[in-house]
Amino acid sequence: MKNDYIVCVCGDASRAAYLIKGEKNVLFDAGMAYSADKMIKNIKRELGDRPLDAVLLSHSHYDHISGVPFLRKEWPDLVVYGSAYAKKILEKPSAKKTMRELSDAAAQGVGLTKAPDYRDEDLMVDKVVKEEDILDFGGHKITVFETPGHTKCSLSYMVDHDVIFASETVGVTTSEVYMPCYLVGYQMSLDAVEKLRHAGAKRIFITHVGILTPEDAGTALLPGLKKEEFSADRVWDYLEAGLKRTKDEIVEIIRKYPTEEEQLKIMLATYHKGVKQEEQPDFAFLLNAAATLKVIRRECMNDADPER
């Protein structure tokens, strides 16, 4: 959409920070620490002297929240929204330590010594939101949906029945492949797709990708879909099919390869094709893949595989 009110302002290639402009200005996710400076410059380019008023967190992973302390420094009145579970996680010293370690590893992955420093106390949720809450930001009303599956704390947000910012629970379409992202629940992820399908949004935002358009039909993002067939419902069909297909594929990977090391190697080759290290380092994907294997073993193989 030309002159859209939603703009990517991410400071790196991960596309994990989108500005929703209006009477009040809201950021969906906050990117990574190492690229926060550039993200802030991008936000200022869009807003000029106007402030950033709020951040909506989709979940508590480092690549979506580590920019928060730098945003607070720039805009002290900023309010950060997230789930109760995300708030609980970010209150744990162990979680804050892990965030720093992962942020430093991501920075090193792009050639930096470490991520820039920040105050741990600034990495927090200010206001807890839950299912069916409606946030009024003046020109925009944003509805909250709880969509666990990627994490327990995953949230999705719908802006004015126009765009739904789907959490990573529904998966990620890359330049090469659909990437499964169900780290805590496969059925939860199917349920999330069904819930968001019925929310009634006209456009769908996919994490790390952006708002899908008819031009994406027939490309690697939406293979097999014709441009003239493009619709929100067909996108949900694609995401649901991706969840089911990858579940079957991962079951076969587990059955075929006896060690987790081999399984992870195949997962990396299968689902991380075409992803640049600055978008998602291999180590981060492998952490997620290990969790996905556990979910599939627990939910889909306990009774189905006679050898287990």
Side-chain angles (χ1 to χ4, degrees), residues 28 58 143-147 154-158 164-168 170 196:
F28 173 78
S58 67
T143 306
V144 180
F145 297 88
E146 295 177 1
T147 49
S154 291
L155 298 176
S156 299
Y157 302 88
M158 182 167 64
I164 197 150
F165 283 80
S167 74
E168 209 162 330
V170 305
L196 297 182

Side-chain angles (χ1 to χ4, degrees), residues 3-246:
N3 300 320
D4 205 341
Y5 63 95
I6 296 172
V7 183
C8 180
V9 291
C10 194
D12 55 65
S14 69
R15 302 178 71 81
Y18 274 72
L19 182 65
I20 305 164
K21 297 188 287 186
E23 291 177 28
K24 292 189 175 181
N25 300 293
V26 182
L27 192 66
F28 173 78
D29 281 338
M32 291 193 263
Y34 82 81
S35 58
D37 258 359
K38 187 173 180 183
M39 175 181 64
I40 289 168
K41 287 178 184 175
N42 291 341
I43 294 170
K44 287 184 170 181
R45 177 198 68 215
E46 294 294 327
L47 299 184
D49 294 333
R50 299 177 62 214
L52 180 66
D53 297 287
V55 175
L56 306 175
L57 296 181
S58 67
H59 63 294
S60 58
H61 281 173
Y62 79 100
D63 56 327
H64 293 258
I65 68 168
S66 297
V68 165
F70 305 93
L71 294 169
R72 288 191 194 278
K73 188 174 179 180
E74 192 65 37
W75 294 284
D77 294 329
L78 187 74
V79 179
V80 177
Y81 295 80
S83 71
Y85 199 82
K87 180 177 174 63
K88 180 180 177 181
I89 288 171
L90 293 177
E91 288 171 349
K92 295 180 178 180
S94 59
K96 292 182 185 291
K97 181 175 181 290
T98 299
M99 296 295 173
R100 282 188 178 275
E101 291 170 351
L102 291 172
S103 292
D104 285 343
Q108 289 160 11
V110 295
L112 302 175
T113 305
K114 60 181 293 189
D117 199 20
Y118 58 84
R119 300 191 321 161
D120 274 347
E121 57 266 36
D122 287 336
L123 192 59
M124 61 177 287
V125 170
D126 299 311
K127 289 194 176 181
V128 168
V129 289
K130 63 185 185 307
E131 180 78 13
E132 296 185 349
D133 280 352
I134 298 176
L135 309 176
D136 190 342
F137 291 108
H140 299 299
K141 284 186 170 59
I142 299 180
T143 306
V144 180
F145 297 88
E146 295 177 1
T147 49
H150 181 56
T151 63
K152 292 180 181 178
C153 61
S154 291
L155 298 176
S156 299
Y157 302 88
M158 182 167 64
V159 185
D160 301 330
H161 287 89
D162 175 19
V163 177
I164 197 150
F165 283 80
S167 74
E168 209 162 330
T169 291
V170 305
V172 174
T173 57
T174 77
S175 60
E176 299 281 342
V177 70
Y178 170 90
M179 184 190 297
C181 296
Y182 33 89
L183 311 188
V184 297
Y186 167 70
Q187 185 60 50
M188 286 180 186
S189 299
L190 285 175
D191 293 343
V193 169
E194 194 64 13
K195 177 188 286 189
L196 297 182
R197 181 196 292 272
H198 288 97
K202 299 181 183 72
R203 299 188 286 163
I204 300 169
F205 171 97
I206 300 295
T207 301
H208 299 303
V209 176
I211 298 172
L212 295 175
T213 70
E215 283 64 43
D216 295 317
T219 71
L221 292 179
L222 295 171
L225 182 63
K226 296 178 182 178
K227 188 173 180 179
E228 59 270 22
E229 296 174 338
F230 181 88
S231 68
D233 208 47
R234 290 302 301 274
V235 172
W236 295 124
D237 287 344
Y238 170 79
L239 294 169
E240 181 180 357
L243 280 163
K244 292 178 177 178
R245 184 187 70 254
T246 55

